Short mmCIF file of all heavy atoms in Angstrom, two decimals:
data_model
loop_
_atom_site.label_atom_id
_atom_site.label_comp_id
_atom_site.label_asym_id
_atom_site.label_seq_id
_atom_site.Cartn_x
_atom_site.Cartn_y
_atom_site.Cartn_z
N PHE D 46 -34.99 -30.32 -12.60
CA PHE D 46 -35.17 -29.17 -13.49
C PHE D 46 -36.62 -28.95 -13.88
O PHE D 46 -36.91 -28.16 -14.77
CB PHE D 46 -34.26 -29.30 -14.71
CG PHE D 46 -32.82 -29.24 -14.32
CD1 PHE D 46 -31.97 -30.33 -14.44
CD2 PHE D 46 -32.30 -28.07 -13.76
CE1 PHE D 46 -30.66 -30.27 -14.04
CE2 PHE D 46 -30.98 -28.00 -13.36
CZ PHE D 46 -30.15 -29.10 -13.50
N ASP D 47 -37.50 -29.64 -13.20
CA ASP D 47 -38.93 -29.41 -13.41
C ASP D 47 -39.26 -27.95 -13.11
O ASP D 47 -38.72 -27.36 -12.19
CB ASP D 47 -39.70 -30.34 -12.47
CG ASP D 47 -41.18 -30.16 -12.60
OD1 ASP D 47 -41.71 -30.53 -13.65
OD2 ASP D 47 -41.80 -29.62 -11.65
N LYS D 48 -40.18 -27.41 -13.93
CA LYS D 48 -40.54 -26.00 -13.78
C LYS D 48 -41.00 -25.68 -12.37
O LYS D 48 -40.64 -24.68 -11.78
CB LYS D 48 -41.65 -25.72 -14.81
CG LYS D 48 -42.42 -24.47 -14.63
CD LYS D 48 -43.34 -24.25 -15.83
CE LYS D 48 -44.75 -24.70 -15.51
NZ LYS D 48 -45.70 -24.52 -16.60
N TYR D 49 -41.82 -26.61 -11.82
CA TYR D 49 -42.38 -26.33 -10.50
C TYR D 49 -41.34 -26.50 -9.39
O TYR D 49 -41.40 -25.85 -8.37
CB TYR D 49 -43.60 -27.22 -10.25
CG TYR D 49 -44.76 -26.85 -11.16
CD1 TYR D 49 -45.23 -27.73 -12.12
CD2 TYR D 49 -45.34 -25.59 -11.06
CE1 TYR D 49 -46.27 -27.38 -12.95
CE2 TYR D 49 -46.37 -25.23 -11.90
CZ TYR D 49 -46.85 -26.12 -12.85
OH TYR D 49 -47.86 -25.75 -13.66
N THR D 50 -40.40 -27.39 -9.64
CA THR D 50 -39.31 -27.52 -8.66
C THR D 50 -38.55 -26.21 -8.56
O THR D 50 -38.25 -25.70 -7.48
CB THR D 50 -38.33 -28.63 -9.07
OG1 THR D 50 -39.06 -29.82 -9.30
CG2 THR D 50 -37.29 -28.87 -8.00
N ILE D 51 -38.28 -25.66 -9.75
CA ILE D 51 -37.51 -24.41 -9.75
C ILE D 51 -38.28 -23.28 -9.09
O ILE D 51 -37.75 -22.51 -8.30
CB ILE D 51 -37.11 -24.07 -11.20
CG1 ILE D 51 -36.28 -25.25 -11.70
CG2 ILE D 51 -36.41 -22.73 -11.28
CD1 ILE D 51 -35.28 -25.00 -12.72
N LYS D 52 -39.59 -23.25 -9.40
CA LYS D 52 -40.41 -22.22 -8.75
C LYS D 52 -40.42 -22.40 -7.24
O LYS D 52 -40.35 -21.42 -6.49
CB LYS D 52 -41.84 -22.28 -9.29
CG LYS D 52 -41.98 -21.68 -10.66
CD LYS D 52 -43.16 -20.74 -10.69
CE LYS D 52 -43.07 -19.83 -11.89
NZ LYS D 52 -44.37 -19.39 -12.37
N ALA D 53 -40.54 -23.64 -6.82
CA ALA D 53 -40.56 -23.91 -5.38
C ALA D 53 -39.23 -23.50 -4.76
O ALA D 53 -39.19 -22.90 -3.68
CB ALA D 53 -40.82 -25.39 -5.11
N LEU D 54 -38.15 -23.79 -5.47
CA LEU D 54 -36.84 -23.40 -4.98
C LEU D 54 -36.75 -21.89 -4.83
O LEU D 54 -36.26 -21.37 -3.83
CB LEU D 54 -35.76 -23.92 -5.93
CG LEU D 54 -34.32 -23.56 -5.57
CD1 LEU D 54 -33.94 -24.19 -4.24
CD2 LEU D 54 -33.35 -24.04 -6.66
N GLN D 55 -37.28 -21.20 -5.84
CA GLN D 55 -37.24 -19.73 -5.77
C GLN D 55 -38.01 -19.22 -4.55
O GLN D 55 -37.54 -18.35 -3.84
CB GLN D 55 -37.85 -19.14 -7.05
CG GLN D 55 -36.88 -19.23 -8.22
CD GLN D 55 -37.57 -18.93 -9.55
OE1 GLN D 55 -38.80 -18.80 -9.61
NE2 GLN D 55 -36.77 -18.80 -10.59
N LEU D 56 -39.18 -19.82 -4.34
CA LEU D 56 -39.98 -19.36 -3.20
C LEU D 56 -39.26 -19.67 -1.88
O LEU D 56 -39.22 -18.83 -0.98
CB LEU D 56 -41.35 -20.05 -3.22
CG LEU D 56 -42.26 -19.67 -2.06
CD1 LEU D 56 -42.52 -18.18 -2.03
CD2 LEU D 56 -43.57 -20.44 -2.12
N THR D 57 -38.68 -20.86 -1.81
CA THR D 57 -37.94 -21.22 -0.61
C THR D 57 -36.82 -20.22 -0.36
O THR D 57 -36.62 -19.75 0.76
CB THR D 57 -37.36 -22.64 -0.75
OG1 THR D 57 -38.45 -23.55 -0.84
CG2 THR D 57 -36.50 -23.01 0.43
N LEU D 58 -36.11 -19.89 -1.43
CA LEU D 58 -35.02 -18.93 -1.26
C LEU D 58 -35.56 -17.58 -0.82
O LEU D 58 -35.00 -16.93 0.06
CB LEU D 58 -34.23 -18.81 -2.56
CG LEU D 58 -33.42 -20.06 -2.92
CD1 LEU D 58 -32.66 -19.86 -4.22
CD2 LEU D 58 -32.45 -20.41 -1.80
N LEU D 59 -36.68 -17.17 -1.43
CA LEU D 59 -37.26 -15.87 -1.05
C LEU D 59 -37.62 -15.87 0.44
O LEU D 59 -37.28 -14.94 1.18
CB LEU D 59 -38.50 -15.59 -1.90
CG LEU D 59 -39.28 -14.35 -1.48
CD1 LEU D 59 -38.49 -13.09 -1.76
CD2 LEU D 59 -40.64 -14.30 -2.17
N ALA D 60 -38.31 -16.94 0.86
CA ALA D 60 -38.74 -17.01 2.26
C ALA D 60 -37.52 -17.03 3.18
O ALA D 60 -37.48 -16.35 4.21
CB ALA D 60 -39.60 -18.25 2.49
N THR D 61 -36.51 -17.81 2.77
CA THR D 61 -35.32 -17.92 3.60
C THR D 61 -34.62 -16.58 3.73
O THR D 61 -34.29 -16.14 4.83
CB THR D 61 -34.36 -18.95 2.99
OG1 THR D 61 -35.06 -20.19 2.87
CG2 THR D 61 -33.15 -19.15 3.85
N VAL D 62 -34.44 -15.93 2.59
CA VAL D 62 -33.74 -14.64 2.63
C VAL D 62 -34.52 -13.64 3.46
O VAL D 62 -33.96 -12.93 4.31
CB VAL D 62 -33.49 -14.12 1.20
CG1 VAL D 62 -33.03 -12.69 1.22
CG2 VAL D 62 -32.48 -15.01 0.50
N SER D 63 -35.84 -13.61 3.27
CA SER D 63 -36.63 -12.66 4.06
C SER D 63 -36.51 -12.96 5.54
O SER D 63 -36.31 -12.05 6.35
CB SER D 63 -38.11 -12.74 3.69
OG SER D 63 -38.27 -12.81 2.31
N ALA D 64 -36.63 -14.24 5.87
CA ALA D 64 -36.56 -14.60 7.28
C ALA D 64 -35.20 -14.21 7.85
O ALA D 64 -35.11 -13.66 8.95
CB ALA D 64 -36.80 -16.09 7.46
N VAL D 65 -34.18 -14.49 7.09
CA VAL D 65 -32.84 -14.18 7.60
C VAL D 65 -32.66 -12.68 7.78
O VAL D 65 -32.18 -12.22 8.81
CB VAL D 65 -31.76 -14.77 6.66
CG1 VAL D 65 -30.41 -14.19 6.97
CG2 VAL D 65 -31.74 -16.27 6.79
N VAL D 66 -33.10 -11.91 6.79
CA VAL D 66 -32.93 -10.46 6.88
C VAL D 66 -33.70 -9.91 8.08
O VAL D 66 -33.16 -9.20 8.92
CB VAL D 66 -33.40 -9.78 5.58
CG1 VAL D 66 -33.53 -8.28 5.76
CG2 VAL D 66 -32.43 -10.12 4.46
N ILE D 67 -34.97 -10.29 8.17
CA ILE D 67 -35.80 -9.76 9.26
C ILE D 67 -35.28 -10.22 10.62
O ILE D 67 -35.16 -9.43 11.55
CB ILE D 67 -37.25 -10.23 9.08
CG1 ILE D 67 -37.76 -9.71 7.73
CG2 ILE D 67 -38.11 -9.81 10.27
CD1 ILE D 67 -38.88 -8.76 7.78
N ASN D 68 -34.97 -11.50 10.72
CA ASN D 68 -34.53 -12.00 12.01
C ASN D 68 -33.16 -11.45 12.41
O ASN D 68 -32.88 -11.28 13.60
CB ASN D 68 -34.50 -13.53 12.03
CG ASN D 68 -35.89 -14.09 12.08
OD1 ASN D 68 -36.82 -13.40 12.52
ND2 ASN D 68 -36.06 -15.31 11.62
N THR D 69 -32.34 -11.18 11.44
CA THR D 69 -31.05 -10.57 11.76
C THR D 69 -31.27 -9.15 12.27
O THR D 69 -30.74 -8.75 13.30
CB THR D 69 -30.16 -10.54 10.51
OG1 THR D 69 -30.05 -11.86 10.02
CG2 THR D 69 -28.79 -10.00 10.83
#
Side-chain angles (χ1 to χ4, degrees):
Chain D
F46 294 113
D47 179 69
K48 165 172 100 180
Y49 292 115
T50 307
I51 301 208
K52 283 228 163 152
L54 178 63
Q55 283 168 352
L56 178 60
T57 296
L58 291 180
L59 173 69
T61 303
V62 169
S63 316
V65 166
V66 167
I67 299 244
N68 287 338
T69 305

